[in-house]
Amino acid sequence: MSATSVLARKWRPRNFAQLAGQEHVVQALTNALTQNRLHHAYLFTGTRGVGKTTIARIFAKSLNCETGITATPCGVCSACTEIDSGRFIDLMELDAASNTQVDNMRELLESALYAPTSGRFKVYIIDEVHMLSKSAFNAMLKTLEEPPAHVKFILATTDPQKIPVTVLSRCLQFNLKQLPPALILTHLQYVLGQENIPFEIGALNLVARAAQGSMRDALSLLDQAIAYSSGKVDEALVRTMLGAIDQGYLFDLLQTLRAGDGAGLLRIADDMTMRSLAFEAALQDLATLLHRIALAQTIPQAIAEDEPERERLLALAQQFTPEEIQLNYQIVIHGRNEIDLAPDEYAGFTMTLLRMLAFAPQAAGSAAETRVAVAKATPSPVYAAPRTEPSPAKPAAPTSAAMPAAPMQQANGTLDWNTLLTQLNLQGMARELAKHSVLASFSDGQLVLNLALQHKHLQSNKMAHDKLQAALGEYFAQPVRLSVELSASNAVATPAAVEQQVKQTRQQQAVEAIKQDAFVREAQAVLGAQIVENAIKPIQQ
Ligand SMILES: Nc1ncnc2c1ncn2[C@@H]1O[C@H](COP(=O)(O)OP(=O)(O)O)[C@@H](O)[C@H]1O
Ligand SMILES: [Mg+2]
Ligand SMILES: [Zn+2]
C-alpha cells in the first residue's frame, strides 16, 4: 500500500488526544512525563500504520516543548512546530531499513555525546530497528549502557523478535495494538468531515474492515476511494474498489455447507471465478468469518448492534456447534497455507470446501470425542478435472465388463431408450415401468419393451401402460402402440440398472478419493479418525 498517503500524512495526530486507540501506551507515557520518571530508551512494537512513528514524534515534542516537559505539548512553540515539520535539529530520525551500516550508527552515536543545540533532549528515533546489522547493534549497545543524560532513544519495530535481548533488556517496551474497525471508522468519519467530503457510512465501514487494523492502510484506501469517486465516497464504489469484498457469498457458503450441499459449494466457487475473486483472500475472509461466529457463540455481546451482518452471523452461530466451527477454522487455515501447493488456486479452494464437507464431528458437543466421521464426500471429478472444464454432468459410460451382458437393441441407429426416457418426463408407475425395461423394437408405430423379470408386477399395471404409451405418442408426434413383454432374465441393462451401476462406480470413486486425501490420512494418523464408508456420498450432479 502506498507509503505516501496524502490523508495519512496530513492527518497524522499531533498530540496524544488526537490519537485513536493505544490508550495503554498514552497513559503510561503520560504518567512518566507528568511524574518526570523518564527512561532513556523506549521501544514501540506493532504492525505497520498503528502509530509507532506518530507516538514517537509526539513524545519527542513532550520532551522538548518550550512550556516544559509535558504530556500535552503546546504545538505552537518553535520546538513543537519544528518537530511537526521535521526540522528540529535535536531530533534525529533514522530508518534502519535503509541505513543498516554501522557507519551511520557510529556517526549518529558520536553526535549523541554533544549537548543538544536548542532543545532539552537529543532524541533519536530509529525506525525498523530490527533491520540494523549486528555491528550496528553493538555500537548502539555501548551508548545504551551508559547513555548521556540528555539523550533519549525511541526505537520502533514491526518485528521485535529480531532484536537482540541485550538491546531489548535496556528498553522500556510498549506493544501497540492493531486498531479495531470501529475505531478506524470513527477516525475516517472525522477526517472526511474535516475535509468536507461527503460519504456513505457503509463505504467507510468497508474500508475500516479492509484495513485490518492499520490506520495508515485505512487512510490510503480512503485516498484511493476519493480519487475514484466523483464527489461522494459511496458504498458501491468502495465495494468495487476493494475487489468486491462483498462477504455475502461467504455466508452463503457456510449455509450451503450446513445443508450438506456439495454441488452448491462448487457452484459458489464457480461463481467466484466468474467474479474474479481471489481464492486465497477468500479463505482468509472465511477464517475471519468463522472466528466471528466462534465469538458470537461464546460472547454474543461481542457482536455489535450495528454490525451489518449481525442477523446472519447469529443464525450461523446457532446452526453450527462450537466444535464444528473450530474444526472448520482449522481446515480453512490449513487450506490457505497449502494453497500454493495445490495445482491451482481453484483446486486448493474447492478442496478446502470439500474437506469441510467431508468432516463432521460424529458426536458434536463432546470434546473427548476424537473420532471423525466422514459424513459426505465427493467423487474424483472435482479433484482431477482441471478447473477450466466444469465437471461433466454425464457420468462415464460403464464399461462393458462391468455391465450385465444384455441385449440393448435399438430400433434404429439413433434411438437410445436411456436417453429417450430422460425426455419423457414420466411420473410414478409409468416411470417405474419405463425404467425397468429395455427397448426391444420400434417399427410401424409398434413399440415393444422388455421388462426386467423381477419387476413383472408392472406388466399388468394398465394405468402405467397407458400413461407411458401416451407419453411416447406425444414424444413421437404419432400414435404409438405399446406392448410390454417379460424379459427372460434379470440381467437386463435397463435405465434403472445402468443408473445403479453408475452409482456404484461413483461411490467407489468417492470412497477412493476420500481414502487418498492427504488431510483424511493425516486425520487418521493424528486424531485416530475413522472413515465411515457407508456415510460417504458422492456429490449429486
Ligand atoms: N493510532 C492512530 N490514530 C490516528 N492515526 C493514526 C494512528 N496510527 C497511525 N495513524 C495514521 O497512519 C499514519 C502512519 O502512522 P505511523 O505512526 O507512521 O505508523 P507506524 O506504526 O507504521 O509507525 C499516520 O500519519 C496517521 O495518519
Ligand atoms: Mg513508522
Ligand atoms: Zn511546544
Side-chain angles (χ1 to χ4, degrees):
M1 230 161 273
S2 123
T4 55
S5 160
V6 182
L7 289 177
R9 231 180 315 128
K10 182 165 171 193
W11 295 99
R12 185 190 289 281
R14 306 225 152 159
N15 54 50
F16 288 133
Q18 288 172 355
L19 204 72
Q22 317 300 8
E23 289 89 354
H24 62 299
V25 180
V26 171
Q27 191 57 53
L29 293 178
T30 302
N31 291 345
L33 287 163
T34 52
Q35 296 160 16
N36 208 350
R37 288 189 299 122
L38 295 168
H39 216 75
H40 59 269
Y42 294 83
L43 174 64
F44 297 138
T45 65
T47 54
R48 67 214 167 100
V50 294
K52 297 183 296 297
T53 305
T54 305
I55 292 177
R57 292 197 187 149
I58 298 173
F59 194 50
K61 279 191 284 188
S62 297
L63 293 169
N64 278 308
C65 178
E66 285 168 13
T67 66
I69 295 177
T70 170
T72 51
C74 75
V76 294
C77 70
S78 58
C80 284
T81 51
E82 283 174 21
I83 289 175
D84 280 339
S85 57
R87 295 181 286 112
F88 190 61
I89 194 153
D90 291 316
L91 173 62
M92 266 67 59
E93 278 198 48
L94 181 92
D95 183 1
S98 49
N99 293 288
T100 55
Q101 295 313 305
V102 67
D103 285 351
N104 288 308
M105 205 58 200
R106 288 238 171 81
E107 221 171 279
L108 192 81
L109 296 172
E110 269 161 23
S111 73
L113 297 173
Y114 304 103
T117 312
S118 70
R120 212 171 279 118
F121 295 100
K122 274 200 152 146
V123 181
Y124 293 85
I125 298 180
I126 306 177
D127 216 348
E128 296 304 343
V129 66
H130 66 273
M131 303 283 280
L132 286 179
S133 65
K134 207 169 163 219
S135 44
F137 269 126
N138 285 336
M140 186 164 81
L141 205 54
K142 287 217 180 70
T143 319
L144 280 180
E145 273 163 356
E146 285 172 67
H150 60 263
V151 168
K152 300 287 172 209
F153 280 103
I154 307 177
L155 314 179
T157 182
T158 48
D159 198 353
Q161 250 98 330
K162 293 210 182 103
I163 297 178
V165 274
T166 43
V167 172
L168 274 184
S169 65
R170 289 180 168 79
C171 299
L172 199 56
Q173 184 172 337
F174 292 100
N175 302 315
L176 273 65
K177 294 179 181 150
Q178 278 177 280
L179 299 157
L183 261 187
I184 297 184
L185 179 68
T186 312
H187 191 68
L188 297 182
Q189 265 177 286
Y190 165 77
V191 167
L192 285 187
Q194 294 294 308
E195 293 275 339
N196 250 321
I197 296 173
F199 60 87
E200 283 176 9
I201 192 76
L204 300 194
N205 222 325
L206 287 174
V207 170
R209 281 170 199 285
Q212 303 198 353
S214 166
M215 190 67 89
R216 184 198 286 125
D217 287 0
L219 288 169
S220 94
L221 282 172
L222 196 56
D223 274 334
Q224 291 176 39
I226 292 168
Y228 279 125
S229 74
S230 45
K232 181 174 186 180
V233 180
D234 67 76
E235 185 173 343
L237 174 132
V238 169
R239 216 179 268 290
T240 318
M241 186 190 89
L242 295 176
I245 302 195
D246 176 7
Q247 307 236 320
Y249 74 96
L250 292 177
F251 284 92
D252 293 346
L253 214 148
L254 289 180
Q255 224 113 43
T256 309
L257 176 69
R258 179 71 304 172
D261 177 5
L265 287 178
L266 296 183
R267 257 198 312 278
I268 293 177
D270 288 340
D271 190 48
M272 288 168 62
T273 316
M274 308 263 283
R275 295 195 293 150
S276 2
L277 293 181
F279 289 113
E280 194 186 341
L283 285 180
Q284 171 156 4
D285 291 344
L286 191 53
T288 306
L289 177 56
L290 287 164
H291 171 242
R292 283 164 69 209
I293 294 172
L295 273 182
Q297 286 176 333
T298 323
I299 8 171
Q301 314 89 278
I303 310 303
E305 291 290 334
D306 59 351
E307 174 101 34
E309 305 107 342
R310 192 164 193 275
E311 294 299 309
R312 293 191 81 180
L313 201 61
L314 293 176
L316 284 172
Q318 296 273 320
Q319 288 164 17
F320 287 88
T321 67
E323 289 81 4
E324 284 173 298
I325 295 297
Q326 290 297 330
L327 183 64
N328 284 324
Y329 180 81
Q330 287 296 331
I331 293 174
V332 169
I333 296 282
H334 215 92
R336 183 165 171 246
N337 279 342
E338 283 181 346
I339 203 159
D340 288 339
L341 305 175
D344 55 56
E345 285 211 347
Y346 176 89
F349 183 75
T350 48
M351 196 63 193
T352 304
L353 297 188
L354 295 171
R355 271 182 195 164
M356 290 165 62
L357 189 63
F359 280 82
Q362 203 165 41
S366 140
E369 184 68 81
T370 49
R371 275 166 47 107
V372 175
V374 176
K376 288 199 175 137
T378 179
S380 51
V382 196
Y383 291 56
R387 48 155 292 243
T388 41
E389 182 197 58
S391 40
K394 221 198 221 163
T399 62
S400 52
M403 282 306 298
M408 183 59 186
Q409 297 162 8
Q410 295 192 354
N412 57 48
T414 56
L415 187 56
D416 172 2
W417 185 240
N418 277 331
T419 315
L420 176 57
L421 182 53
T422 62
Q423 292 167 11
L424 287 181
N425 197 18
L426 294 165
Q427 310 285 334
M429 289 313 239
R431 185 177 151 78
E432 289 302 299
L433 176 61
K435 258 174 61 178
H436 292 294
S437 303
V438 291
L439 183 64
S441 65
F442 182 34
S443 59
D444 299 330
Q446 169 86 20
L447 194 146
V448 182
L449 290 181
N450 272 352
L451 177 63
L453 197 57
Q454 73 268 44
H455 294 284
K456 64 174 184 244
H457 63 279
L458 290 168
Q459 193 184 25
S460 54
N461 190 319
K462 175 123 181 21
M463 193 146 78
H465 172 278
D466 290 352
K467 278 202 177 143
L468 180 53
Q469 180 169 273
L472 287 165
E474 203 173 303
Y475 178 81
F476 290 110
Q478 71 175 74
V480 170
R481 273 167 295 116
L482 172 67
S483 60
V484 178
E485 291 166 8
L486 266 192
S487 132
S489 81
N490 285 337
V492 183
T494 61
V498 171
E499 191 180 297
Q500 182 58 28
Q501 182 66 36
V502 169
K503 252 194 202 152
Q504 268 172 23
T505 311
R506 295 185 57 200
Q507 175 68 19
Q508 278 160 13
Q509 286 173 344
V511 171
E512 244 355 85
I514 282 297
K515 283 185 176 166
Q516 297 301 324
D517 183 84
F519 187 82
V520 172
R521 290 175 164 216
E522 195 180 316
Q524 285 177 310
V526 177
L527 301 174
Q530 294 180 5
I531 295 177
V532 182
E533 274 196 25
N534 56 14
I536 299 178
K537 292 202 186 67
I539 283 187
Q540 298 302 312
Q541 294 286 341

